[in-house]
Amino acid sequence: MSRAQVAATDVQDADTVLVDNINKVSDIMVDAKPVASANTEEPVVTRRELWSYYLYCNAATNGVGPLIYYLILFQGFATSAGWDPSQGPGSTCANSGQCVLPWGSGTKSVSSIVLVANGISFAIMTVLFTSIGPIADYGTVGRWLLLVVTIIFWGSQFASMALTKPSRWEAVMVLYIVSYVSYGAILVFAAAVFPRLVRNTPHARRVREKLDNQEITGEQSELEESLEKNRISNISVWHSFVGTIPMLCLDLAILLPLANNVLVDSYTIVLTNVYSVLLGVWWFIFQQPRPGPPLPKGEHYLTIGWKQIWIVLKQWRKLPYTFVYLFAFFLLSDGMNTTGTLVTICQNDQVQFSFLQSTYLTLAQAVAATAGILGFWWIQKYWKISTKKMFAVTNVFTVLIPLWGMIGLWTTNFGFRQTWEFWAYNVVFGLFQGPYYSYAQTMMAELAPPGFDNMFFGLFGLSNRASSLIGPNVIQAIINETQNNWKGFPFLFALCAAACLVIWLGVDVVKGRRDAVAWAEQNRSDAATSTYVEGVLSDSSLDSGEKQ
C-alpha cells in the first residue's frame, strides 16, 4: 500500500472516530437524566450520622470566633498600638477618627491593615483550595482534610490566651489569618460532604428507586431531590446560626461578671471554642465511610489538583451554567464578604471594640437568621418555589446593604453612622443573609456533577471565601488614601449589583443540572466511583480522535 493510501486510510479512520464521538455526545445530551443514578454501595445516612453533621455545623461553622471576636481583638489591639497621623507617634487614636501603624517603610491605616489581613487570608485559601481541594474526592482524603483543618482551627482559638497586650497586634494578625483560613477551609470541606449525604438519605434513595422503576416521572424525581437538597441545606445552615445563640449566651456568663478583667476577651474566645469542640467532635466519630476511588496510576497528590482543575475548566462549554454561576458567585462573594468586613470595622469603631456590645448585636443577628431560614424554607416548601427564585430574593438585600452604606458619604445621620443602624443591619442581615448561604450552597449542589463534589465545591469555595482578592485590596487602597471608611461602599454596591444580574439572567438551573448529570455519567470510569477519565465529553478525547 502506498504512503498516500495509508494516509487516506488514517484520515478516514480519524473521521470515523470523530463522528462516533460526536454521536455519543449527542446521544448523552438527548438522554440526559435529571438526577444521578443511585449508588447502592454507599451506606444509607443514619439519623445519628445526620445529627452529628448538624451539630458540627452548629458548632464549627457559625464563625463567632474568627469572624466576630478575633476580628474585634485584632482591630482593638491595632488601634491601641496605633497613633493619630496628624499628631505623630506617641499620640493616641481616641476620638480622632484616624489611626495608623508602621507598615513597610511608611504607615498604613488600621482599617486598611485589617483588610490586608483579609486579602492575605483569601490568597492563602486560593492556593489551598486549588491545590488540595480536588484531591479530596479520592479515597478518604476528604475525611482527613476536614479533620486536620478543624484541629488547626480549634488550636488557633485556644492560642488567643497568649494575646495579652496591644504591642502583640502583629501576633494577633497572624493568628487571625490562621483562624480565618482554617475556618474558610472548614466551610468548603464541610459543604462538600453535603451533596453526598443528600444523595444517600432514605428519602432520596426511595425517590431514585421509584424513578428507576418508572413509578414517577423524571420531573417529579427532579423536584423531590431538589427539595431534599434544600431541606438538608436549610437545616444545616440553620444550625450554623442557631448554634450561635447558646454559644453567645455562654459567653455572656463570662463577659458580664469579668467585665474588668484584662483577659476577659481571650477567655471568651476560649469558651466559644470549647463549645465548638464539644459539639463538633461527634461528626468525626459517627461519619460513615464513603470513600472515593484510589488515586489514578501515574498521578501524584501534589499535582493532580491543578491537573483536575485545568481539565474541569476546559469543560466550561459543556457545563456553561455551572461556570457562569461560579463566575458570578465569585464576584458576589467578593462584594458581600468585603461589605461585611467593612460594616464590621465601622461597627467595632462605634461600640469601641466591646466584646459585650458585639455579643448582643450578634445575638440579634443569630435570632433573626434562625427565623429567616425557617421562614424561607416554609415558604419554599409550601409554594414549591425554585432554589434560584429564593436565592434571588436574598440577593436583593445583598445589594441594598452597601447602598445604605453609601448614604454615610453625605451625612452623619445615616449610613452606618449611628448605633441603631447596626442593630437594624444585624437583624436584616440575619433575616436575609442566613437563607443566602443556604441557597448559595444548594445552587452549587444543583449544578455540580454528582461524584465530583470536592472538586466543584473546591471551586465553589474559591468563589466564596478565596474570591475576595479584589474587594479587600481595592477598598483598603481607597480607605488608606482617603482615611474614610465609607468611600469603599460605592465600589462594593456596583460589584454586588453586577454579580446578581449575571445570576438572575445567565443561570438556568434546570438545564445546568441535566448538563452536570450527563457530564458526570460520562466522565467517570464506573458509575459507582467518581474517577475522572477524559471520555467522549472531554476535549482530549476528541483531540485524540483527530490525531489517529
Side-chain angles (χ1 to χ4, degrees):
M1 184 179 292
S2 67
R3 289 185 178 180
Q5 289 174 317
V6 170
T9 301
D10 289 344
V11 170
Q12 185 177 9
D13 290 342
D15 289 342
T16 301
V17 171
L18 182 59
V19 170
D20 287 344
N21 281 338
I22 293 174
N23 289 335
K24 290 177 182 177
V25 172
S26 301
D27 291 341
I28 289 167
M29 299 312 295
V30 169
D31 298 330
K33 300 177 183 178
V35 296
S37 300
N39 183 354
T40 56
E41 293 184 7
E42 291 186 345
V44 177
V45 175
T46 64
R47 184 177 181 85
R48 184 173 62 179
E49 180 185 24
L50 188 58
W51 270 98
S52 68
Y53 180 70
Y54 290 154
L55 288 177
Y56 181 86
C57 294
N58 182 301
T61 67
N62 59 52
V64 170
L67 301 184
I68 306 297
Y69 290 147
Y70 243 123
L71 180 56
I72 297 172
L73 199 67
F74 175 25
Q75 190 180 346
F77 272 34
T79 300
S80 296
W83 63 82
D84 186 337
S86 63
Q87 299 182 33
S91 63
T92 65
C93 300
N95 302 318
S96 70
Q98 300 180 7
C99 194
V100 298
L101 280 165
W103 190 266
S105 58
T107 61
K108 189 178 283 289
S109 72
V110 169
S111 296
S112 294
I113 290 173
V114 172
L115 289 165
V116 166
N118 277 22
I120 293 172
S121 300
F122 296 133
I124 295 172
M125 282 188 268
T126 300
V127 176
L128 183 68
F129 298 152
T130 52
S131 299
I132 69 175
I135 69 174
D137 284 315
Y138 296 101
T140 59
V141 175
R143 182 173 186 166
W144 291 107
L145 277 176
L146 182 58
L147 176 60
V148 169
V149 297
T150 302
I151 291 173
I152 293 173
F153 172 73
W154 288 336
S156 68
Q157 307 297 296
F158 284 128
S160 65
M161 287 303 301
L163 308 173
T164 56
K165 50 187 177 181
S167 60
R168 296 183 179 178
W169 71 268
E170 291 170 312
V172 183
M173 180 177 176
V174 171
L175 285 174
Y176 170 70
I177 291 172
V178 173
S179 177
Y180 202 173
V181 170
S182 55
Y183 171 70
I186 282 174
L187 292 181
V188 170
F189 295 126
V193 172
F194 155 71
R196 195 163 292 181
L197 282 178
V198 172
R199 286 197 298 272
N200 290 286
T201 63
H203 179 69
R205 287 287 188 89
R206 287 194 297 269
V207 168
R208 275 173 294 189
E209 287 172 3
K210 288 181 179 180
L211 177 63
D212 292 340
N213 296 331
Q214 298 183 338
E215 297 175 20
I216 58 175
T217 65
E219 289 73 17
Q220 289 173 317
S221 68
E222 188 173 14
L223 176 61
E224 286 297 321
E225 183 155 321
S226 179
L227 288 173
E228 181 73 348
K229 288 175 183 175
N230 278 285
R231 183 180 74 85
I232 303 296
S233 180
N234 275 303
I235 293 175
S236 61
V237 174
W238 177 81
H239 268 282
S240 180
F241 282 95
V242 78
T244 306
I245 299 173
M247 180 182 285
L248 293 174
C249 290
L250 282 174
D251 293 336
L252 289 175
I254 284 184
L255 287 168
L256 291 173
L258 300 179
N260 297 321
N261 191 304
V262 294
L263 292 177
V264 64
D265 293 347
S266 295
Y267 291 156
T268 304
I269 293 176
V270 168
L271 181 60
T272 300
N273 199 42
V274 169
Y275 178 92
S276 177
V277 173
L278 291 178
L279 270 70
V281 71
W282 300 105
W283 168 246
F284 301 106
I285 296 173
F286 295 127
Q287 178 186 11
Q288 294 189 85
R290 296 183 182 88
L295 193 72
K297 291 182 179 179
E299 298 292 349
H300 194 279
Y301 281 113
L302 296 179
T303 58
I304 192 169
W306 292 97
K307 289 182 179 179
Q308 291 282 49
I309 288 174
W310 175 243
I311 290 170
V312 171
L313 289 177
K314 291 195 298 182
Q315 305 302 309
W316 68 270
R317 288 186 179 88
K318 302 177 182 70
L319 300 170
Y321 300 110
T322 302
F323 282 94
V324 168
Y325 177 67
L326 284 169
F327 169 74
F329 194 68
F330 179 96
L331 299 178
L332 182 61
S333 295
D334 194 352
M336 200 201 75
N337 290 338
T338 310
T339 297
T341 301
L342 186 55
V343 173
T344 302
I345 289 172
C346 297
Q347 177 178 294
N348 291 342
D349 284 331
Q350 185 70 25
V351 301
Q352 298 181 339
F353 316 109
S354 168
F355 267 45
L356 182 60
Q357 293 301 316
S358 296
T359 298
Y360 289 142
L361 288 166
T362 307
L363 263 174
Q365 182 186 127
V367 172
T370 301
I373 292 170
L374 291 175
F376 268 72
W377 167 236
W378 183 86
I379 291 170
Q380 181 184 25
K381 184 178 179 181
Y382 186 82
W383 278 286
K384 297 190 183 298
I385 303 173
S386 70
T387 301
K388 180 181 175 181
K389 289 179 181 178
M390 300 300 290
F391 188 46
V393 174
T394 69
N395 292 164
V396 172
F397 290 87
T398 303
V399 175
L400 290 179
I401 290 172
L403 180 62
W404 183 264
M406 287 171 58
I407 300 175
L409 288 170
W410 302 289
T411 178
T412 57
N413 296 322
F414 302 102
F416 299 122
R417 295 283 190 172
Q418 306 296 326
T419 301
W420 69 265
E421 291 179 280
F422 295 106
W423 282 97
Y425 161 76
N426 278 280
V427 171
V428 171
F429 186 92
L431 285 173
F432 294 95
Q433 297 308 110
Y436 162 92
Y437 290 111
S438 174
Y439 291 114
Q441 176 177 277
T442 307
M443 284 274 287
M444 189 67 248
E446 297 270 24
L447 296 169
F452 296 86
D453 308 307
N454 281 286
M455 181 189 296
F456 279 87
F457 269 86
L459 292 175
F460 180 64
L462 191 65
S463 296
N464 185 13
R465 289 291 162 185
S467 64
S468 298
L469 297 173
I470 303 171
N473 288 301
V474 172
I475 302 305
Q476 70 86 16
I478 293 172
I479 292 174
N480 197 57
E481 182 68 26
T482 64
Q483 295 292 316
N484 186 335
N485 291 342
W486 285 263
K487 290 286 187 178
F489 284 114
F491 173 79
L492 296 172
F493 167 73
L495 193 62
C496 291
C500 288
L501 287 174
V502 173
I503 292 174
W504 297 345
L505 303 177
V507 178
D508 188 320
V509 176
V510 175
K511 291 181 180 178
R513 178 169 49 243
R514 294 180 179 181
D515 289 346
V517 171
W519 187 90
E521 292 292 335
Q522 185 59 34
N523 286 279
R524 55 189 172 194
S525 60
D526 186 288
T529 71
S530 59
T531 306
Y532 185 88
V533 292
E534 295 196 283
V536 297
L537 287 181
S538 68
D539 296 333
S540 62
S541 174
L542 295 179
D543 292 342
S544 64
E546 291 171 347
K547 294 174 183 177
Q548 289 182 17

